[in-house]
Amino acid sequence: MIKRFFDPDDLSFDSGRLKADLEKSLFGQHIASDVVFKAVSSFMTDSNPNKPLVLSFHGTTGTGKNYVTKIIARNLYKKGEHSKHIHLFLPDLHFSDPAQIKQLIHKSVSNFPCSMFIFDEVDMMQPQMIDGIKHFLDYNSYVDGVSFRNAIFVFLSNAGGNVISEVALGFWREGRRREEIMMNSMELEAKISQHIMNEETGGFSQSSLINKHLIDHYVPFLPLELEHVRQCVMAEMVHMKMTQDYDLADEVARDRPFFPEKEKIFAVKGCKTVRQKLALYQ
């Protein structure tokens, strides 16, 4: 149950529905599913949060980072990802004008406290751009009379993807199940944040968000294996109103490039462009 008052015509959150959606729709990402569910549910049922919810999603291409933002949106707002309270920032369109972004964020939260802001490819953002919005992410933050404690910020990045893949590959080589990988496995979360800080340019590397501990959770998205890509293909068959065909799904999945070169365990592109490839088989 939501303990804060918002316009019922806009907000509709149910933790059970979010959990079921993550379990049904997200493939091969047990860590992300668990962290996102707990973080969002706890935040939405907190009657007096002391800061905005700030999530940072990390992983290689096609592992589900963007998709999870859509899952959150459709379980948070009545109009889902089409809600006017969701704002997506893209590097080519928005990252060159910090003042415009700050103005949009301030106006959006003043109109609707539980607004959601998604920054895609944050590793391409300049540090000064990130530092320009840090005041919105801070504890008990009031900016020009507006409280940001009820807002949600999600950063998406490929940074740390190699570190996450190395951990997953290490488990595979040891004969251990990927489901055994946890946030503290081989200090995974610490390795992600350390990798980000050590980057030479862009992203969080030279910003103060990490040192000020304003990011609540670094969420790792594991590289996808054949079975997960196959699940993606089966799901796309439903979307495209095709009869589900396991053998065809397997053929489409196996036609994807995999890495490392020797073992060929993880899909290079994850589930990205699966729908476009499947269209060739209709």
Side-chain angles (χ1 to χ4, degrees):
M1 187 176 91
I2 304 173
K3 296 181 180 178
R4 284 169 274 164
F5 175 78
F6 294 106
D7 187 344
D9 292 332
D10 292 315
L11 199 63
S12 175
F13 177 72
D14 180 272
S15 61
R17 191 177 66 219
L18 172 62
K19 184 175 184 178
D21 200 353
L22 286 165
E23 292 176 350
K24 176 184 177 182
S25 307
L26 187 61
F27 307 126
Q29 301 297 354
H30 63 283
I31 301 177
S33 179
D34 182 62
V35 174
V36 168
F37 167 68
K38 291 178 179 177
V40 174
S41 297
S42 175
F43 180 73
M44 290 305 298
T45 55
D46 188 342
S47 60
N48 188 32
N50 63 354
K51 70 181 294 295
L53 176 61
V54 184
L55 303 174
S56 189
F57 294 173
H58 298 269
T60 52
T61 299
T63 50
K65 301 184 295 293
N66 272 290
Y67 187 56
V68 169
T69 65
K70 296 179 180 180
I71 292 178
I72 295 173
R74 68 187 181 218
N75 287 283
L76 193 60
Y77 305 100
K78 287 192 174 181
K79 293 184 178 180
E81 61 189 280
H82 304 295
S83 171
K84 63 183 178 181
H85 305 303
I86 298 175
H87 307 277
L88 173 63
F89 299 107
L90 303 171
D92 294 339
L93 295 177
H94 306 102
F95 289 179
S96 61
D97 192 346
Q100 184 181 30
I101 291 180
K102 291 171 64 176
Q103 183 179 15
L104 189 153
I105 292 174
H106 189 277
K107 181 179 179 180
S108 299
V109 174
S110 65
N111 290 332
F112 191 79
C114 195
S115 293
M116 179 176 175
F117 305 95
I118 304 166
F119 293 82
D120 198 2
E121 298 184 44
V122 69
D123 41 312
M124 297 180 63
M125 287 180 67
Q126 293 301 314
Q128 59 267 29
M129 172 73 74
I130 297 177
D131 282 337
I133 64 172
K134 69 180 179 182
H135 301 294
F136 301 134
L137 315 181
D138 216 334
Y139 292 83
N140 296 307
S141 178
Y142 278 84
V143 180
D144 294 332
V146 176
S147 171
F148 288 81
R149 293 179 301 152
N150 295 299
I152 299 175
F153 293 82
V154 184
F155 298 101
L156 312 180
S157 175
N158 290 335
N162 291 338
V163 172
I164 298 167
S165 294
E166 288 173 5
V167 171
L169 185 60
F171 269 69
W172 182 87
R173 285 173 172 163
E174 293 174 6
R176 301 172 65 182
R177 298 168 61 248
R178 68 187 276 129
E179 288 75 20
E180 296 179 42
I181 304 174
M182 299 298 171
M183 286 288 279
N184 60 352
S185 295
M186 299 173 67
E187 301 181 340
L188 180 55
E189 187 174 20
K191 283 184 177 180
I192 294 173
S193 61
Q194 188 62 44
H195 176 82
I196 295 168
M197 291 183 68
N198 290 338
E199 286 184 342
E200 293 184 2
T201 59
F204 298 130
S205 59
Q206 300 173 42
S207 78
S208 59
L209 261 65
I210 295 178
N211 291 334
K212 286 183 172 293
H213 307 291
L214 299 182
I215 298 174
D216 300 309
H217 304 283
Y218 297 93
V219 186
F221 282 71
L222 303 176
L224 300 183
E225 299 179 22
L226 175 63
E227 63 175 300
H228 308 122
V229 180
R230 191 188 296 124
Q231 288 176 299
C232 289
V233 178
M234 294 287 281
E236 289 296 350
M237 286 177 173
V238 174
H239 175 82
M240 298 172 68
K241 295 182 172 56
M242 296 173 62
T243 301
Q244 283 189 307
D245 184 329
Y246 179 89
D247 291 335
L248 176 58
D250 186 64
E251 180 182 351
V252 174
R254 289 181 182 278
D255 195 37
R256 314 278 289 176
F258 287 80
F259 74 96
E261 182 64 29
K262 182 179 179 181
E263 295 94 340
K264 297 188 182 300
I265 304 301
F266 306 122
V268 174
K269 297 181 181 179
C271 285
K272 198 166 187 176
T273 72
V274 160
R275 184 180 301 178
Q276 289 74 18
K277 293 295 183 182
L278 184 57
L280 301 178
Y281 292 82
Q282 283 186 303

